[in-house]
Amino acid sequence: SQTIHQWPATLVQPVGSPLSLECTVEGTSNPNLYWYRQAAGRGLQLLFYSVGIGQISSEVPQNLSASRPQDRQFILSSKKLLLSDSGFYLCACMGLAGADTQYFGPGTRLTVL
Amino acid sequence: GEDVEQSLFLSVREGDSSVINCTYTDSSSTYLYWYKQEPGAGLQLLTYIFSNMDMKQDQRLTVLLNKKDKHLSLRIADTQTGDSAIYFCAVPGTYKYIFGTGTRLKVLA
């Protein structure tokens, strides 16, 4: 079965600093990959998804970007963090053969001060 | 576009049944899903139902699907304190899921 790793688990960053969150997937190939953000006490907001290496679709215009340099690696970045970027960031994977089920990583808690 | 609605909060007493409801506007997906999120954790796939089924039972969980009314529900029998969490329904679209807002279930001892 697939396993999704995210790091770091928690992060505290000052406003204006850069950001890099990483997600890697094991146990599957050519998956669809997703980045979600969850604000405190709120639902999920889809930020980006990728159906293949170098293919990124953005759902919400903002100061974040995503990249997929390898088949099972998905990176979320920012050049300058805003206070509003604080939240719980979740990576998800879909694409086990014959199924369209999404599986989630453990998440990264980002606090921007 | 697709829209998925859930009530935000549900409070039940330990041992009672919980029913979490979800309505959606459109789905041509083969499956519809329920996820559970415990505090500080990612989403865990809880159960799913095949779109040509009306009901699926899995131990304490029962999923009901009314395709005509576009209504999905999750019933948890004999609710325990460990069931306290946020529950999301999810309806797959093209390449991506549409998630409901999540229902926060609080179980009172």
Side-chain angles (χ1 to χ4, degrees):
Chain A
S1 64
Q2 72 289 319
T3 304
I4 304 171
H5 302 280
Q6 288 187 245
W7 63 88
T10 59
L11 191 60
V12 180
Q13 291 284 96
V15 169
S17 64
L19 173 74
S20 180
L21 303 181
E22 188 163 346
C23 170
T24 58
V25 180
E26 295 177 1
T28 187
S29 59
N30 196 30
N32 290 353
L33 296 174
Y34 304 82
W35 278 113
Y36 292 88
R37 178 171 60 201
Q38 187 178 31
R42 305 289 296 276
L44 297 173
Q45 179 186 31
L46 178 63
L47 302 175
F48 301 95
Y49 70 91
S50 171
V51 299
I53 296 174
Q55 300 180 62
I56 308 295
S57 296
S58 174
E59 289 293 299
V60 182
Q62 56 209 319
N63 70 320
L64 299 172
S65 62
S67 62
R68 185 171 176 174
Q70 301 180 47
D71 181 45
R72 288 173 283 180
Q73 183 185 29
F74 204 23
I75 297 172
L76 183 69
S77 304
S78 174
K79 292 182 180 178
K80 286 187 177 182
L81 283 169
L82 306 173
L83 286 174
S84 58
D85 291 323
S86 293
F88 192 48
Y89 288 82
L90 290 159
C91 178
C93 161
M94 184 166 82
L96 220 69
D100 59 359
T101 304
Q102 276 198 15
Y103 294 93
F104 285 79
T108 295
R109 173 77 57 193
L110 172 65
T111 303
V112 183
L113 301 175
Chain B
E2 177 69 70
D3 191 26
V4 180
E5 298 284 341
Q6 295 180 242
S7 54
L8 292 179
F9 298 101
L10 177 65
S11 181
V12 300
R13 295 201 174 276
E14 191 175 15
D16 288 350
S17 292
S18 307
V19 180
I20 301 170
N21 295 301
C22 172
T23 57
Y24 56 95
T25 54
D26 188 35
S27 174
S28 57
S29 175
T30 305
Y31 297 94
L32 294 98
Y33 298 87
W34 283 103
Y35 287 83
K36 176 184 180 182
Q37 185 182 31
E38 296 183 355
L43 274 68
Q44 169 194 356
L45 178 65
L46 194 59
T47 188
Y48 60 90
I49 187 167
F50 192 49
S51 61
N52 69 353
M53 296 171 63
D54 297 325
M55 184 181 81
K56 177 184 176 181
Q57 188 154 0
D58 183 3
Q59 299 183 345
R60 293 191 296 121
L61 304 178
T62 303
V63 180
L64 296 177
L65 175 61
N66 182 328
K67 288 190 72 174
K68 175 176 172 290
D69 293 338
K70 295 185 168 62
H71 184 266
L72 183 70
S73 69
L74 173 69
R75 179 178 181 268
I76 305 173
D78 187 25
T79 311
Q80 304 298 306
T81 54
D83 295 323
S84 292
I86 303 175
Y87 291 82
F88 293 91
C89 64
V91 177
T94 304
Y95 295 124
K96 57 187 179 181
Y97 279 17
I98 308 300
F99 283 87
T101 49
T103 299
R104 186 179 294 273
L105 174 64
K106 183 175 181 180
V107 182
L108 306 172

